């Protein structure tokens, strides 16, 4: 936990220490997300450049469970990655909802929030007969977002939004391989708790 805090502090300035704690806990969450009912969209938002959104998003994705960094919102990529890899996806785009609309992937994007949410049905073998040729894909999975335009509903109520402050300083260039020792320890964490039930906690707020 403390090693993850230091890792994310080395990536960029988020603001109060509580935000680094949130991000570190999200790292752990990605390794047991298949046990959870919901997974929020962890969102880094600022209209201004040079706020470290991409750096911090990368730092999360590189330690997350099967993290993928992408700008694509092609629906086929999204539901196949989700179903086959049960991966964490980091979307680094300017305006997520507008781009999703152009790719007709809004519903798939929203489906990543809920483990028992809607599945995507595709006919992969038309010759197999009624129903036999249909394959159903899961869309659920942890999601990280870095955007320059405000997140809109219905995604906003599914998101935890962080607005990085303006900050100056020199930061070393982090690389995916730098995260491997942390990933090894997080994989061990997943193995240790894979058969354990998650604790039951009360909802902290109303609504989602």
């Amino acid at each position: 936990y403390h090693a993850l805090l230091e890792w994310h502090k080395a990536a960029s300035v988020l603001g109060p220490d509580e935000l680094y704690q949130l991000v570190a806990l999200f790292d752990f969450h990605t390794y047991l997300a298949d046990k959870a009912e919901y997974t929020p969209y962890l969102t880094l938002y600022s209209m201004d450049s040079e706020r470290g959104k991409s750096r911090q998003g990368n730092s999360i994705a590189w330690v997350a469970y099967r993290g993928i960094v992408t700008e694509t919102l092609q629906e086929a990529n999204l539901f196949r990655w989700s179903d086959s890899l049960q991966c964490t996806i980091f979307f680094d785009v300017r305006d997520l909802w507008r781009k999703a609309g152009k790719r007709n992937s809004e519903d798939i994007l929203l489906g990543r929030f809920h483990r028992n949410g809607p599945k995507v049905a595709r006919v992969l073998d038309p010759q197999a007969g009624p129903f036999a040729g249909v394959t159903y894909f899961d869309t659920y999975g942890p999601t990280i977002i870095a955007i320059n335009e405000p997140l809109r509903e219905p995604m906003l109520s599914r998101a935890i939004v962080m607005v990085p402050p303006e900050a100056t300083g020199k930061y070393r260039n982090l690389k995916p391989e730098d995260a491997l020792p942390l990933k090894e320890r997080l994989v061990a964490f997943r193995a240790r708790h894979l058969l354990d039930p998650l604790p039951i906690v009360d909802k902290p707020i109303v609504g989602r």
Side-chain angles (χ1 to χ4, degrees):
Y1 174 73
H2 294 288
L4 287 168
L5 290 178
E6 294 305 313
W7 166 257
H8 292 300
K9 288 180 179 180
S12 71
V13 175
L14 284 177
D17 281 346
E18 288 80 2
L19 293 181
Y20 293 106
Q21 295 170 23
L22 169 66
V23 170
L25 291 173
F26 186 84
D27 296 335
F28 284 104
H29 165 71
T30 67
Y31 283 81
L32 294 178
D34 50 341
K35 291 176 170 288
E37 191 73 17
Y38 300 96
T39 179
Y41 304 118
L42 195 65
T43 304
L44 298 151
Y45 159 68
S46 174
M47 295 183 66
D48 300 318
S49 59
E50 296 292 327
R51 294 294 181 98
K53 300 184 296 295
S54 296
R55 283 178 56 91
Q56 193 61 249
N58 284 329
S59 78
I60 303 169
W62 291 341
V63 299
Y65 184 64
R66 297 178 179 175
I68 291 176
V69 180
T70 185
E71 47 71 44
T72 185
L73 284 161
Q74 297 288 353
E75 60 172 11
N77 294 79
L78 299 187
F79 66 70
R80 289 180 183 276
W81 283 339
S82 301
D83 189 85
S84 300
L85 300 177
Q86 296 83 51
C87 58
T88 303
I89 301 181
F90 169 38
F91 297 104
D92 193 0
V93 297
R94 180 175 180 83
D95 190 336
L96 182 77
W97 195 243
R98 183 188 298 273
K99 190 169 184 177
K102 291 181 178 179
R103 300 293 187 272
N104 296 316
S105 56
E106 303 102 312
D107 293 334
I108 295 175
L109 193 60
L110 293 174
R112 291 187 59 77
F113 173 74
H114 188 193
R115 180 162 62 90
N116 294 311
K119 297 181 182 297
V120 175
R122 290 292 183 270
V123 178
L124 301 185
D125 186 2
Q127 308 303 320
F131 304 108
V134 180
T135 300
Y136 295 89
F137 296 88
D138 286 324
T139 59
Y140 171 75
T143 305
I144 311 152
I145 302 167
I147 50 174
N148 296 91
E149 299 295 333
L151 202 61
R152 297 184 288 274
E153 292 292 3
M155 283 204 68
L156 182 58
S157 59
R158 292 167 164 83
I160 298 174
V161 181
M162 298 178 289
V163 182
E166 184 177 3
T168 58
K170 293 183 179 180
Y171 295 88
R172 68 183 181 92
N173 291 323
L174 301 177
K175 301 184 292 293
E177 52 265 34
D178 296 335
L180 290 179
L182 291 169
K183 286 183 69 72
E184 292 171 354
R185 296 169 68 181
L186 285 163
V187 169
F189 164 82
R190 173 175 169 79
R192 188 179 303 119
H193 297 288
L194 193 58
L195 301 180
D196 296 340
L198 293 183
I200 303 300
V201 297
D202 293 330
K203 291 181 67 175
I205 56 174
V206 298
R208 293 197 180 97

